Amino acid sequence: MWRPGGDGRARHGTSGAAPGTGGGLWAALKRADPRDLRTGLLWIVPATAVVTVVNSLSDLADLPHVQRWEPWTWEISSALAILVATVIPWLATAAAPPDEAAGEGWRPKLRFAAVHLTALLLFSALHVAGFVLIRKLTYAAMDADAYMFGNRFIYELRKDLISYCVYVGTFWLLGSLRRRRDEPVRPVSFDIRDGARIIRTSLSDILAVSSAGNYVEFWLADGRRPLMRATLAAIEVELERFGFVRAHRSWLVNAGAVTGLRPDGSGDWTVELGAVEAPVSRRYPQALERLKK
């Protein structure tokens, strides 16, 4: 039975991912799909426009002493600023989707809370800074007394919390529906180009893929280990849709072939794939959660 570090070919070379960066926030952010943002805005913009008009008319009725342009300035500036800030919950949803927070252990929940608390504060700060700037410019253009915001950030933050939660829910739902719609038909086989030879093998027979210098090594269920000239990052793009998980900067593993997991200390694990064992780095917490399912 092979163990991590027991074969020189599996140790040299890199995978195309910088050491220490895999599975992190930047990798998660790169999964943000602009289609989710565009589709979400198709719903958010009309809803925001309706709320803006209703609130402006309500302010005009409730505050007869203000000039008529003021309520429209307040509400339109708030709407414009919050639409710009919508990119923050979109990115945060990609980095920490709600369904991942349901994973086992405290790490996914802590990560979810940290990402979204930070994103909420950025979202509200951008919203407030945006509408205050627009209002100050508008009041100056109208030759009115300077607009004063005062100490009302906590008040705005409470309101922004509701908007933020709605936006996160919207982007998560849209992303889930899109992924379900785009789910590819699982291919029966995968072609491994070992030099001039092509080895056509079932995806279920590929237990793992590791980097080996300028090549990648396929660990097959029948014990064969063909080499293919490619980077691990390129193979990951082809196989990640079919249940292969980056568990280490130098390893992809077939989540459907897992037969066991055991801790190695310091947060690292070893995944058992029949007769093959592969490392699971603590730097890839999302991979560990997927492999435990």
Side-chain angles (χ1 to χ4, degrees):
M1 180 178 290
W2 180 87
R3 295 182 182 276
D7 189 313
R9 287 191 298 170
R11 290 199 303 270
H12 55 222
T14 60
S15 64
T21 61
L25 181 61
W26 176 244
L29 287 175
K30 289 195 293 185
R31 295 199 302 264
D33 195 311
R35 290 176 294 177
D36 297 339
L37 179 61
R38 291 195 297 267
T39 305
L41 288 175
L42 290 177
W43 293 88
I44 292 171
V45 170
T48 302
V50 170
V51 171
T52 298
V53 171
V54 171
N55 286 346
S56 298
L57 294 176
S58 298
D59 290 343
L60 285 170
D62 296 338
L63 303 170
H65 60 282
V66 302
Q67 299 188 60
R68 297 188 64 83
W69 57 267
E70 289 185 273
W72 292 103
T73 299
W74 302 337
E75 300 301 334
I76 292 175
S77 62
S78 178
L80 292 175
I82 207 168
L83 288 176
V84 171
T86 301
V87 70
I88 294 176
W90 167 61
L91 291 173
T93 304
D99 49 344
E100 289 188 4
E104 295 181 6
W106 57 269
R107 287 181 180 273
K109 298 176 178 59
L110 180 61
R111 183 175 182 276
F112 177 85
V115 168
H116 286 284
L117 178 59
T118 302
L120 170 62
L121 293 175
L122 289 174
F123 173 76
S124 189
L126 181 57
H127 175 214
V128 170
F131 74 62
V132 168
L133 176 61
I134 295 173
R135 292 175 190 180
K136 284 184 175 293
L137 292 175
T138 304
Y139 273 65
M142 298 299 291
D143 198 23
D145 293 338
Y147 173 79
M148 301 299 294
F149 175 68
N151 188 20
R152 295 191 294 118
F153 180 73
I154 299 301
Y155 168 76
E156 294 293 338
L157 179 62
R158 291 200 300 266
K159 295 195 301 179
D160 287 341
L161 173 61
I162 298 174
S163 298
Y164 181 86
C165 291
V166 171
Y167 294 165
V168 167
T170 299
F171 292 128
W172 174 71
L173 178 60
L174 290 172
S176 299
L177 293 174
R178 174 185 52 76
R179 286 188 292 273
R180 186 176 303 175
R181 183 180 63 249
D182 295 345
E183 185 70 24
V185 177
R186 185 180 178 89
V188 176
S189 61
F190 181 82
D191 289 345
I192 302 171
R193 294 173 292 280
D194 188 359
R197 184 172 59 136
I198 295 178
I199 301 173
R200 182 159 294 167
T201 183
S202 170
L203 280 174
S204 60
D205 288 337
I206 303 175
L207 303 179
V209 188
S210 62
S211 63
N214 294 325
Y215 295 80
V216 292
E217 186 170 19
F218 289 81
W219 298 71
L220 304 184
D222 60 8
R224 289 179 297 165
R225 290 160 58 178
L227 291 169
M228 176 174 168
R229 189 174 182 86
T231 64
L232 194 63
I235 299 301
E236 181 182 9
V237 170
E238 295 189 53
L239 295 181
E240 65 178 346
R241 298 174 298 166
F242 309 116
F244 285 76
V245 179
R246 177 71 76 97
H248 185 276
R249 69 186 181 90
S250 299
W251 282 86
L252 290 175
V253 298
N254 187 346
V258 174
T259 56
L261 281 162
R262 67 171 186 271
D264 290 336
S266 302
D268 293 330
W269 289 67
T270 292
V271 58
E272 299 172 356
L273 305 152
V276 173
E277 294 184 353
V280 182
S281 172
R282 62 183 178 275
R283 294 174 176 173
Y284 292 76
Q286 292 179 336
L288 179 60
E289 293 302 322
R290 287 190 60 186
L291 294 176
K292 284 182 177 181
K293 294 180 180 179

